[in-house]
Amino acid sequence: VGWELFRQEILPKIQRVRNAHPMLVDGDAGSTSDWDDRWNHIKKFLERSGPFMHPDFEPSTESLQFMLETCKILVIGAGGLGCELLKNLALSGFRNIHVVDMDNIDVSNLNRQFLFRAKDVGRPKADVAADFINSRVPGCFCPSFYLYLEFHIIVCGLDSIVARRWMNGMLLSLLVYEDGVLDPSSIIPLIDGGTEGFKGNARVILPGMTACIDCTLELYPPQINFPMCTIASMPRLPEHCIEYVRILQWPKEMPFGDDMALDGDDPEHIQWVYQKSLERAAEFSITGVTYRLTQGVVKRIIPAVASTNAAIAAACATEVFKIASSAYLPLNNYMVFNDVDGLYTYTFEAERKENCSACSQVPSDLHFSPSSKLQEVLDYLTESTSLQMKSPAITTTMDGKNKTLYLQSVASIEQRTRPNLTKTLNELGLADGQELAVADVTTPQTVLFKLCFTS
């Protein structure tokens, strides 16, 4: 149903936008930024028919003009995946590409984030990436600032699940419903790519219509934490040795000064942790500690592989091209990629969850007994594979007034509300069917839950 609605509602919307915006981003089609036959490779897809064309698509020059003149793309993340995306999109005919990234360039980025050079270390990734694309691809307009509502398509090249969920929630918050019916014109398609070592995925999300990030949160396993007793006394894995140095040795030895926290992007810090981890591993005859693994454990990521980034960025850029041109049906809607041992890809349709806390538009049920403590509710919100919240703040309405049950992010309020964690739901005055409003860093929206008492 979602993809049929996409064909009937979203594609005509894109076509209407094409017709309504005759102005070019960088002059007319004959501007000095173009030359004869520059876009011949794109025209072969858009100006002639083929066996894989969308059944309703009519070859013409309009699609290319929309891509060159009007279509605005937002790329979130200018790291290993983001650099590949920016290059692919700029060379595919998209001229108005905006990029945002909050990180600065580190020397460790230079081996795969090819838009950056040694002279750029310390500068903001978004600024350098935008400057590089502007100077290298004639006619491309790539600023490093943005407003979400301005864009036709948003592409994510992030290494953070929290950031993905926040962006997912932002696009859901922009949806407009009239009498409970979604207005298709408020939908901004989201193309999401992710890589972990030799594995990756690409997906197409139509907010409010297809499965969103939170609908498939179980696909992102919770972060693994090793027991302290294992780390300290019985290490068996190279990761245990690295965690020992990170958690115990760094705070004890403070190798770079008393006020210096461990920075996963600082090569000197990682090198120190790596050497100490090798020493501990040798004590217990453990092999496998590498600089690459050390950085991955410290930063809580699996280090990227350039070839995987290139493959996933190509898949994401292709999906942007499909949606912007309406010449082909988009991915439906999740593709996994694995080149650990050979090459394997698989595509499937992730189904939208009726009770998704992010996109279902109805409060999710929380099943607890009246004798359950608020701490149990908090644990469920953070440990549930379908929620995976980080620091949830719980409020409710009682006697017509808002009441904060627990809030962790503000020290004074956390101290005041901490006693509530040991109280039962009954002692807190909560009733069956009462709504709890939960705010968390994983979403810009407040998530509603309905308390359902069990016997």
Side-chain angles (χ1 to χ4, degrees):
V1 175
W3 289 101
E4 181 63 22
L5 182 59
F6 176 83
R7 185 181 68 82
Q8 295 179 357
E9 300 285 351
I10 305 301
L11 293 184
K13 169 198 167 185
I14 293 176
Q15 291 163 356
R16 287 196 299 272
V17 173
R18 286 199 201 102
N19 297 333
H21 294 77
M23 297 299 292
L24 294 181
V25 170
D26 192 65
D28 56 31
S31 68
T32 56
S33 65
D34 279 338
W35 51 87
D36 291 342
D37 302 327
R38 180 179 183 184
W39 304 114
N40 273 0
H41 63 298
I42 303 297
K43 292 179 181 178
K44 291 176 182 178
F45 292 97
L46 302 180
E47 296 183 8
R48 65 186 188 185
S49 60
F52 301 106
M53 282 284 186
H54 188 289
D56 295 335
F57 181 74
E58 295 183 3
S60 69
T61 61
E62 292 181 359
S63 294
L64 178 59
Q65 292 306 308
F66 172 72
M67 291 167 56
L68 295 175
E69 302 166 10
T70 307
C71 189
K72 288 186 178 181
I73 307 293
L74 173 61
V75 175
I76 303 178
L81 188 57
C83 285
E84 292 278 0
L85 281 166
L86 288 168
K87 176 260 296 180
N88 290 348
L89 293 171
L91 296 177
S92 295
F94 295 99
R95 283 174 160 168
N96 202 343
I97 308 168
H98 297 229
V99 58
V100 59
D101 193 304
M102 304 305 293
D103 289 341
N104 291 333
I105 299 167
D106 182 78
V107 68
S108 63
N109 302 146
L110 302 181
N111 69 327
R112 65 194 181 281
Q113 299 175 22
F114 55 85
L115 300 185
F116 311 138
R117 301 292 181 267
K119 63 181 177 60
D120 301 320
V121 171
R123 292 186 59 198
K125 286 185 176 181
D127 290 348
V128 176
D131 291 344
F132 190 101
I133 293 296
N134 288 335
S135 63
R136 190 66 177 267
V137 184
C140 197
F141 172 64
C142 184
S144 57
F145 55 88
Y146 61 98
L147 293 173
Y148 296 112
L149 284 171
E150 295 180 357
F151 297 98
H152 300 101
I153 302 170
I154 292 180
V155 193
C156 283
L158 298 165
D159 60 4
S160 165
I161 297 173
V162 172
R164 280 188 177 88
R165 294 179 65 186
W166 196 92
M167 193 65 241
N168 178 72
M170 173 58 69
L171 295 183
L172 289 170
S173 71
L174 298 178
L175 297 177
V176 176
Y177 289 85
E178 298 178 0
D179 298 326
V181 179
L182 175 62
D183 178 4
S185 66
S186 64
I187 295 174
I188 301 176
L190 172 66
I191 314 298
D192 178 58
T195 61
E196 285 190 344
F198 290 97
K199 300 177 182 179
N201 68 81
R203 63 188 302 185
V204 176
I205 298 171
L206 305 177
M209 290 173 52
T210 63
C212 73
I213 297 289
D214 281 46
C215 285
T216 56
L217 206 53
E218 291 88 347
L219 296 176
Y220 305 98
Q223 180 176 292
I224 297 175
N225 292 307
F226 302 107
M228 182 58 68
C229 58
T230 300
I231 295 172
S233 58
M234 297 181 295
R236 299 184 302 276
L237 301 172
E239 290 87 348
H240 294 163
C241 301
I242 299 168
E243 281 287 82
Y244 177 86
V245 176
R246 184 183 74 87
I247 296 174
L248 299 176
Q249 279 191 257
W250 180 280
K252 181 180 179 180
E253 299 187 23
M254 285 293 178
F256 294 90
D258 293 341
D259 298 327
M260 184 64 70
L262 177 57
D263 184 354
D265 291 317
D266 189 321
E268 293 186 2
H269 290 196
I270 297 298
Q271 184 65 31
W272 186 89
V273 176
Y274 169 53
Q275 293 297 333
K276 293 294 183 180
S277 300
L278 282 175
E279 294 173 9
R280 181 162 178 81
E283 293 177 19
F284 292 89
S285 300
I286 295 172
T287 60
V289 174
T290 64
Y291 183 92
R292 182 185 180 84
L293 179 65
T294 302
Q295 188 176 40
V297 171
V298 170
K299 296 182 67 176
R300 287 295 193 264
I301 61 171
I302 299 176
V305 174
S307 57
T308 310
N309 284 337
I312 295 302
C316 291
T318 300
E319 296 308 315
V320 175
F321 178 84
K322 290 178 183 178
I323 291 178
S325 68
S326 70
Y328 303 87
L329 281 173
L331 175 71
N332 186 18
N333 53 27
Y334 200 112
M335 185 272 287
V336 294
F337 172 90
N338 189 332
D339 61 348
V340 173
D341 187 12
L343 182 63
Y344 171 79
T345 62
Y346 178 69
T347 302
F348 65 94
E349 181 178 1
E351 296 185 2
R352 187 180 178 190
K353 288 175 61 176
E354 293 183 0
N355 62 341
C356 174
S357 60
C359 70
S360 65
Q361 299 294 307
V362 295
S364 300
D365 292 341
L366 286 177
H367 296 277
F368 287 93
S369 71
S371 60
S372 298
K373 292 180 170 58
L374 185 64
Q375 180 68 59
E376 296 177 50
V377 177
L378 192 73
D379 292 342
Y380 173 78
L381 295 174
T382 56
E383 297 174 4
S384 168
T385 56
S386 62
L387 296 174
Q388 298 185 35
M389 294 186 174
K390 301 302 178 183
S391 55
I394 308 173
T395 62
T396 190
T397 301
M398 302 183 73
D399 301 325
K401 297 181 180 179
N402 288 333
K403 180 180 179 181
T404 300
L405 300 177
Y406 183 71
L407 192 149
Q408 183 176 343
S409 57
V410 181
S412 59
I413 301 179
E414 195 281 332
Q415 185 176 7
R416 179 170 56 84
T417 58
R418 191 185 307 161
N420 289 342
L421 295 176
T422 59
K423 294 181 180 179
T424 67
L425 304 182
N426 198 31
E427 290 171 340
L428 290 170
L430 301 176
D432 184 42
Q434 188 157 357
E435 286 192 354
L436 301 180
V438 180
D440 190 63
V441 295
T442 57
T443 175
Q445 301 186 94
T446 298
V447 182
L448 295 180
F449 294 91
K450 186 174 73 171
L451 199 56
C452 298
F453 280 166
T454 58
S455 55

